[in-house]
Amino acid sequence: MARNGPRSGRVTIQEVMRGIWPFYTVMFAVLMLVTYVPAISLWLPQLLKL
């Protein structure tokens, strides 16, 4: 069975991280908003009267 590891695409970890860091930044910002601004995470249950 052939192993297709990280070399199969000839992409380095540094290239991958350079491409995905903006997405991680946005995810972290959204996490902080939901964590520290409770109204953001509570509006849907209030809307549905749960």
Side-chain angles (χ1 to χ4, degrees):
M1 177 180 263
R3 297 186 105 202
N4 292 329
R7 292 279 185 196
S8 64
R10 307 234 191 282
V11 178
T12 65
I13 296 295
Q14 289 82 11
E15 290 173 322
V16 172
M17 292 307 294
R18 197 176 308 126
I20 65 173
W21 76 265
F23 298 101
Y24 277 115
T25 304
V26 170
M27 287 192 307
F28 182 73
V30 170
L31 175 65
M32 291 298 105
L33 277 172
V34 169
T35 302
Y36 293 109
V37 182
I40 293 174
S41 59
L42 295 175
W43 73 271
L44 185 59
Q46 290 174 352
L47 182 70
L48 298 175
K49 304 208 187 322
L50 294 176

